[in-house]
């Protein structure tokens, strides 16, 4: 029977997303549906699945992997201090930078959750609903980070400003209750440990970071398809920090979350992250969500009238604890998205299970109270994503402009900067040539540099950008600065490199570091070939009102459809399709497939809408 239960769970994990896609059900994230499926398969209804040592072990691993991947999603660039270099640059940055950053909103927001949760905890004590105000407060301040991330991922907004704000608040809503529970157990528990021992966890995390900080720089030299050492390192970190967290009296999920942040700081490649997502969301995490549902016995819980009375009270308390998030969100986002974010953060389940287990072991809670807390948490997981998916809109304020710093003001970079400035880009040009500065400053925003010294540029924040472009005619300057920018941590570095000496290894050195290298000869060849092969695309590229995009097809409703039948086929020109590392020259009858990388040109007024349609996970 143990093996049959595992087979049923794995079959359900396979069928659930297929059914959701087949009937176009998108009002609830897959994770919530998996909890509901677990309820159906468990003792509440069909009683087909019975928890055993194997399923319990896989479920526990699932929540640990989920928290590790959650830590991996944190954008640490949000915590970098912004350095201003001079008056005119400061004025420009102030005009572009929102007054309230995602980090600031998250701290304000979770601060309100803690205050309201404490107030609600003492109200429960006064009214006799629950005798321990501290434990009640910890329960009310929890947020289900797994449900939140699943919802944001499926909406494709995890990397946006509102996505990172929601993520940071939710991360605090998972970590702070863990710390609170650790403190609670150390004070009131019979098997408590010294609270300071938790510092060991962070000390080991720091040690792991410094030991492996250059791991991904040399990964290609020793990684093979049969070893996958990047994945092995991830699971070593998970096991090490989760074990230490339990050893010092905390929860394994805290160690896993800290491990995810450490791994993110090591700067793994997108391929590595994709492999970890595949392992987590393809196997372990669905088992955790389904077993969370299986573990509930609704028949037994709902049979008690006291539980039925407490459920709406605790449900409203979960919501009230997050109510002041709305005015916090309104400091930066519109009404609908603020309401959507507040609703999504009201979801809670993961830590509720852990806290109720501790409360039951310490005999601090009745069966009716435990059942009411748990069922109310399940209802938040249904209601929160429903409201979020209904209310959320893709307004311009959600998407941060991409900051581009271009070094070298000349007749090539000036028009590029002008055209990019009309789109989703915040472009600043830099030059150390005073003559060029006086000549070109009226055509675009040009900032005069005092020096091209790398230390000066780093010290004054000139590399604080999403994309750094080095377009000087001197290859030595571009080579030196591109290397420094990449080492500084700029996500994308583009460098002009006109050195034609075939024995010169510097270009390969740049590409090995991840720098994108171009030269006028290669560009001219590519443009000439494009004119011959796809003249319509070339004409659109030349137009100032047209933008060229690359997007991955993730929307299943377009899979299997010929290009000519796309609803926006008359508005775009598809130049290339890359499929399984092969290039396809598209025609009207070319059939699209999921995960095709599509290069298309379109008018800038509709290009972003088309990109969202194609890339939307559906």
């Amino acid at each position: 029977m143990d093996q049959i239960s595992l087979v049923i769970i794995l079959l359900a994990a396979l069928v659930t997303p297929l059914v959701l896609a087949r009937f176009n059900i998108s009002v609830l994230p897959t994770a919530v549906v998996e909890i509901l499926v677990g309820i159906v398969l468990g003792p509440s209804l069909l009683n087909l699945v019975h928890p055993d040592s194997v399923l319990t072990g896989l479920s526990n691993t699932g929540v640990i992997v989920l928290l590790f991947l959650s830590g991996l999603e944190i954008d640490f660039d949000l915590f970098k201090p912004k350095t201003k270099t001079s008056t005119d640059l400061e004025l420009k940055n102030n005009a572009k930078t929102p007054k309230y950053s995602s980090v600031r909103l998250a701290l304000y927001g979770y601060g309100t959750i803690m205050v309201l949760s404490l107030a609600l905890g003492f109200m429960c004590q006064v009214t006799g609903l629950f005798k321990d105000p501290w434990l009640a407060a910890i329960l009310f301040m929890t947020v289900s980070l797994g449900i939140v991330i699943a919802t944001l991922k499926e909406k494709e907004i995890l990397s946006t400003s509102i996505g990172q704000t929601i993520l940071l608040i939710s991360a605090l809503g998972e970590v702070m209750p863990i710390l609170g529970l650790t403190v609670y157990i150390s004070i009131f528990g019979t098997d408590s440990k010294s609270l300071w021992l938790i510092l060991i966890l962070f000390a080991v995390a720091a040690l792991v970071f410094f030991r492996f900080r250059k791991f991904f720089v040399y990964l290609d030299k020793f990684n093979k398809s049969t070893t996958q050492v990047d994945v092995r390192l991830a699971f070593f970190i998970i096991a090490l920090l989760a074990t230490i967290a339990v050893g010092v009296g905390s929860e394994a999920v805290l160690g896993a979350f800290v491990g995810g942040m450490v791994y993110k700081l090591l700067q793994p490649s997108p391929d590595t992250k994709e492999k970890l997502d595949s392992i987590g969301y393809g196997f372990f995490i669905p088992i955790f969500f389904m077993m969370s549902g299986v573990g509930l016995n609704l028949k037994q819980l709902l049979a008690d009238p006291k539980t039925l009375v407490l459920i709406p009270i605790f449900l409203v308390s979960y919501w009230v604890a997050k109510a002041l998030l709305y005015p916090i969100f309104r400091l930066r986002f519109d009404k609908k998205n603020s309401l959507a974010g507040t609703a999504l953060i009201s979801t809670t389940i993961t830590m509720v299970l852990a806290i109720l287990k501790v409360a039951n072991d310490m005999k601090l809670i009745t069966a009716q109270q435990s059942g009411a807390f748990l069922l109310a948490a399940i209802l938040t997981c249904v209601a929160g994503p429903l409201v979020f998916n209904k209310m959320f809109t893709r307004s311009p304020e959600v998407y941060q402009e991409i900051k581009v710093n271009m070094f070298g003001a000349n007749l090539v970079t000036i028009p590029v900067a002008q055209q990019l400035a009309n789109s989703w880009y915040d472009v600043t040009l830099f030059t150390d040539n005073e003559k060029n500065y006086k000549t070109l400053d009226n055509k675009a925003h040009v900032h005069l540099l005092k020096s091209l010294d790398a230390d000066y540029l780093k010290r004054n924040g000139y590399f604080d950008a999403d994309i750094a472009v080095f377009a000087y005619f001197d290859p030595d300057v571009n080579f030196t600065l591109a290397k420094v920018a990449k080492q500084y941590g700029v996500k994308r570095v583009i460098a002009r490199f006109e050195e034609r000496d075939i024995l010169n290894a510097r270009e390969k050195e740049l590409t090995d570091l991840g720098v994108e290298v171009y030269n006028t000869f290669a560009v001219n060849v590519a443009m000439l070939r494009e004119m011959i092969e796809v003249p319509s695309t070339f004409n659109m590229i030349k137009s100032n009102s047209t933008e060229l995009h690359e997007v991955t097809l993730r929307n299943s409703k377009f899979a299997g459809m010929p290009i000519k039948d796309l609803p926006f086929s008359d508005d775009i020109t598809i130049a290339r399709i890359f499929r399984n590392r092969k290039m396809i020259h598209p025609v009207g009858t070319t059939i699209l497939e999921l995960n095709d990388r599509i290069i298309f040109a379109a008018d800038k007024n509709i290009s972003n809408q088309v990109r969202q349609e194609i890339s939307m996970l559906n």
Side-chain angles (χ1 to χ4, degrees), residues 204-475:
V204 174
L207 182 64
V208 169
F209 170 72
F210 285 110
R211 177 62 185 84
F212 292 99
R213 66 186 183 278
K214 294 185 178 181
F215 178 84
F216 286 96
V217 176
Y218 303 105
L219 178 64
D220 292 338
K221 294 181 180 179
F222 50 78
N223 197 25
K224 297 185 293 185
S225 60
T226 55
T227 57
Q228 302 292 339
V229 290
D230 50 345
V231 176
R232 297 186 189 195
L233 174 63
F235 279 93
F236 165 72
I237 292 175
I238 292 173
L240 174 66
L241 296 184
T243 302
I244 291 174
V246 173
V248 299
S250 186
E251 296 290 324
V253 287
L254 175 61
F257 184 77
V258 173
M261 293 192 293
V262 169
Y263 201 77
K264 177 63 177 283
L265 288 171
L266 296 177
Q267 299 182 345
S269 68
D271 288 342
T272 295
K273 189 175 181 304
E274 187 174 340
K275 285 187 284 187
L276 293 172
D277 279 345
S278 298
I279 295 170
Y281 290 100
F283 182 68
F284 290 108
I285 295 172
I287 294 176
F288 160 69
F289 282 123
M290 289 192 178
M291 291 306 297
S292 297
V294 169
L296 294 173
N297 191 334
L298 296 186
K299 292 179 182 178
Q300 182 179 347
L301 292 174
L302 296 176
D304 193 321
K306 293 182 179 179
T307 303
L308 295 177
V309 173
L310 290 174
I311 289 172
I313 296 175
F314 290 153
L315 176 61
V316 171
S317 297
Y318 281 131
W319 286 338
V320 170
K322 282 82 177 182
L324 289 181
L325 286 176
Y326 177 78
I328 299 296
F329 275 116
R330 285 291 290 127
L331 295 173
R332 182 168 177 182
F333 305 107
D334 63 26
K335 292 180 180 179
K336 293 185 69 174
N337 285 337
S338 297
L339 181 59
T342 302
L344 184 58
I345 293 173
S346 70
T347 59
T348 182
I349 184 64
T350 312
M351 280 307 301
V352 169
L353 293 168
I355 295 168
L356 291 178
K357 182 179 183 303
V358 171
N360 283 315
D361 292 343
M362 296 176 66
K363 302 187 184 322
L364 297 172
I365 192 170
T366 66
Q368 296 86 359
Q369 292 169 333
S370 178
F373 272 120
L374 193 53
L375 286 173
I378 292 291
L379 291 176
T380 65
C381 291
V382 175
L386 276 173
V387 174
F388 179 84
N389 287 330
K390 181 70 175 177
M391 300 297 296
F392 178 77
T393 58
R394 296 177 179 271
S395 57
E397 65 182 9
V398 168
Y399 299 93
Q400 290 180 320
E401 288 187 319
I402 299 172
K403 184 169 178 54
V404 182
N405 286 355
M406 303 180 72
F407 295 82
N410 51 56
L411 295 178
V412 174
T413 56
I414 287 292
V416 171
Q418 290 172 334
Q419 293 178 27
L420 289 177
N422 295 324
S423 186
W424 295 93
Y425 295 91
D426 171 15
V427 185
T428 305
L429 271 169
F430 299 94
T431 181
D432 63 322
N433 188 311
E434 189 170 356
K435 181 179 178 181
N436 283 357
Y437 169 72
K438 291 179 179 179
T439 304
L440 300 173
D441 188 41
N442 63 333
K443 300 183 182 299
H445 181 80
V446 182
H447 180 76
L448 181 62
L449 296 172
K450 297 178 181 178
S451 169
L452 287 181
D453 177 71
D455 290 334
Y456 166 76
L457 296 177
K458 286 194 297 184
R459 187 171 60 252
N460 289 281
Y462 288 106
F463 292 147
D464 291 333
D466 300 300
I467 302 174
V469 180
F470 299 95
Y472 280 97
F473 294 111
D474 187 343

Side-chain angles (χ1 to χ4, degrees), residues 187-207:
I187 296 174
F188 300 105
T190 56
D191 190 26
S192 60
K193 299 185 179 181
S194 298
L195 189 59
W196 66 267
L197 289 175
I198 201 169
L199 297 176
I200 296 175
L201 172 65
F202 296 100
V204 174
L207 182 64

Side-chain angles (χ1 to χ4, degrees), residues 175-188:
V175 172
M176 294 304 293
I178 295 174
L179 295 175
L181 185 62
T182 303
V183 173
Y184 183 89
I185 294 173
S186 70
I187 296 174
F188 300 105

Side-chain angles (χ1 to χ4, degrees), residues 488-499:
Y488 182 81
V490 181
K491 294 178 181 177
R492 289 186 63 199
V493 178
I494 302 171
R496 176 178 180 172
F497 197 75
E498 300 287 352
E499 178 61 67

